[in-house]
Amino acid sequence: MKPRALVFDAYGTLFDVHSVVVRAGSTIPGDLHALSILWRRKQLEYTWLRSLMERYEDFWNVTEAALRSAVAQLKIEASERQLDGLMQAFLTPSAFPDVKPALDALKGVPLAILSNGSPRMLESMVGGSGLASSFAEVISVDRVKIYKPSPRVYALAPEVLNVPREDIFFVSSNSWDVAGARAFGFKVCWCNRSQGNMEHLGFSADVTVSHLGEIAGYL
Ligand code: LAC
């Protein structure tokens, strides 16, 4: 496979969303693991619902609404200050440990990010991780004001990178994002970090790896 560009999903693929509650939730009473899982679940649900409703709000607002929904559902008593602490920490989730060496091994092919994140969130996260120089482009869904897996989102990558979709290798750990990207026409790598099952949506990955370091072996 000789792709002309590699495009990465951000949250869950390069950056660990669950690092946020671990780092900023320690003073919050309750089941923090459950909070982190439900927060992420709600965040994604709201992106899908808002896309269907045609009522886009950026990922920062969606993320805050999802947090408030999750704490209410779990009956967690968190103060405004504690919620704000979690939101601020969401601006700089930790990169997974395999990211930097994997990106370094992929030098030579243009790399980009295509993410639901708002431009401010992506700038803060990528800048804060010291990875900004690895990427030729960081592309936010905010340009088209709808969320993944809308094909309008995936279409941003060929447009911005000026590379045909079939020459793009898209990498995601989110199985539903893999299906969406494959349906659009990318070659797709599923980085199956959590050894989960593929969605039954009729589209599966071209390549499945368990960590990002394996990708270089397929190029
Ligand atoms: C993103 C979501 C899918 O980064 O995690 O686009």
Side-chain angles (χ1 to χ4, degrees), residues 33-138:
H33 177 70
L35 174 61
S36 194
I37 301 283
L38 187 60
W39 185 10
R40 173 65 170 166
R41 193 78 228 154
K42 281 280 159 200
Q43 182 193 46
L44 293 173
E45 272 177 29
Y46 286 178
T47 61
W48 300 323
L49 291 168
R50 286 197 167 278
S51 296
L52 282 170
M53 292 159 71
E54 299 180 1
R55 288 285 187 275
Y56 177 85
E57 280 198 23
D58 82 8
F59 203 55
W60 180 255
N61 289 335
V62 164
T63 300
E64 183 178 351
L67 175 59
R68 289 184 185 280
S69 165
V71 293
Q73 191 171 319
L74 294 170
K75 302 195 183 351
I76 288 174
E77 304 275 345
S79 65
E80 284 301 313
R81 198 191 166 100
Q82 286 169 324
L83 295 181
D84 187 54
L86 288 174
M87 286 301 295
Q88 294 308 319
F90 207 93
L91 288 171
T92 53
S94 309
F96 287 105
D98 59 345
V99 173
K100 176 90 175 82
L103 297 182
D104 287 348
L106 294 169
K107 279 201 173 114
V109 190
L111 308 181
I113 288 175
L114 175 63
S115 172
N116 279 345
S118 69
R120 181 173 82 100
M121 292 166 87
L122 293 175
E123 196 183 311
S124 151
M125 176 167 71
V126 177
S129 66
L131 297 169
S133 63
S134 299
F135 295 102
E137 296 285 348
V138 177

Side-chain angles (χ1 to χ4, degrees), residues 97-173:
D98 59 345
V99 173
K100 176 90 175 82
L103 297 182
D104 287 348
L106 294 169
K107 279 201 173 114
V109 190
L111 308 181
I113 288 175
L114 175 63
S115 172
N116 279 345
S118 69
R120 181 173 82 100
M121 292 166 87
L122 293 175
E123 196 183 311
S124 151
M125 176 167 71
V126 177
S129 66
L131 297 169
S133 63
S134 299
F135 295 102
E137 296 285 348
V138 177
I139 309 165
S140 166
V141 302
D142 202 60
R143 294 185 192 217
V144 284
K145 304 224 172 337
I146 191 165
Y147 288 102
K148 295 175 178 177
S150 166
R152 286 167 52 201
V153 170
Y154 300 113
L156 285 169
E159 185 188 315
V160 172
L161 298 168
N162 201 19
V163 171
R165 66 182 76 184
E166 58 275 13
D167 292 335
I168 289 178
F169 198 31
F170 182 83
V171 181
S172 183
S173 293

